[in-house]
Amino acid sequence: MFSPEGPTLRELAVQALSSVEHGYDLLAPKFDHTPFRTPDSVLTAVATALKESGPYEDGLDLCCGTGAGVDVLATVCRGRVTGVDFSAGMLDEARGRGRPAGSRVSWVRADARALPFTARFDLVVSFGAFGHFLPRELPGLFAQVYGVLRPGGRFAFPVPAPPRPSAPAFWALLGFDAVMRVRNALWRPPFVMYYRAFRLGEVRRELERAGFSVALRALPEFGTRSDGSPRVRMVEARRPD
Ligand SMILES: C[S@@+](CC[C@H](N)C(=O)[O-])C[C@H]1O[C@@H](n2cnc3c(N)ncnc32)[C@H](O)[C@@H]1O
């Protein structure tokens, strides 16, 4: 699961016993060698889909980590590109990466639940971070995103179909979430990371409640399941004009 450059089991355990923010500070130098970084196949598929609805002007990568989504924004945005994350360590890594000459990228340290921007964006993307938010935090999070979008702007993110009980991944994710629940019942500070808490139906409802109009788009690169439903979708939530 991890390459030799990735974290050791001990390092992962220390990370998991920290807060989310400090855990990522610790993991940051090795983060890109873990499966937690969004794979290029997903980033490319989202960039391809966004190119069809774009181009956009200013873009924001919410919970940017080392900048995976910033690279997507750089291909579809003509204006400013900003990455926001609350881990100083992850942002240091992101800043240390070379970006294409002329790209206008800035990095902001802030909590996604209290975004500090006065300027507005035309496109907000987010990859691989929603498991860090409890379902009860989604209304506040989506309201923040709505507030930083210009009228007509979009909030886009990929959502994989949940594995079925016949798939080993179903049991692996169930087991992971169960371990995290026990850990959080016994240990402070909590490390919120639940794979199965972010459910498309509820997410759609909360986005609509926040004022977005929501469209789902299959990402054809990942094919379909046996019942014909897409393996991965992109949510496109639009702030009305
Ligand atoms: C699994 S990483 C994903 C990073 C990157 N988006 C990617 O796909 O490779 C999750 C990121 O979310 C950030 N994060 C989690 N909760 C956050 C919050 N409330 N505000 C800002 N960043 C947050 C973490 O610091 C971490 O960098």
Side-chain angles (χ1 to χ4, degrees), residues 140-156:
L141 181 69
F142 294 161
Q144 289 290 308
V145 176
Y146 190 92
V148 300
L149 276 170
R150 295 193 176 109
R154 283 170 209 228
F155 178 29

Side-chain angles (χ1 to χ4, degrees), residues 40-102:
D40 288 341
S41 56
V42 175
L43 300 171
T44 306
V46 169
T48 304
L50 288 173
K51 273 180 198 149
E52 282 171 28
S53 54
Y56 296 88
E57 287 302 319
D58 300 323
L60 176 69
D61 180 12
L62 190 75
C63 304
C64 63
T66 54
V70 161
D71 295 332
V72 171
L73 292 175
T75 67
V76 296
C77 292
R78 298 185 290 211
R80 277 176 310 125
V81 171
T82 304
V84 64
D85 200 286
F86 68 4
S87 159
M90 293 293 267
L91 291 173
D92 282 347
E93 288 297 316
R95 281 190 197 97
R97 304 268 185 289
R99 303 278 167 205

Side-chain angles (χ1 to χ4, degrees), residues 24 31 37-38 63-65 85-87 90 110-112 127-128 133:
Y24 277 104
F31 178 76
R37 186 208 185 254
T38 299
C63 304
C64 63
D85 200 286
F86 68 4
S87 159
M90 293 293 267
D111 193 314
F127 294 91
F133 299 91

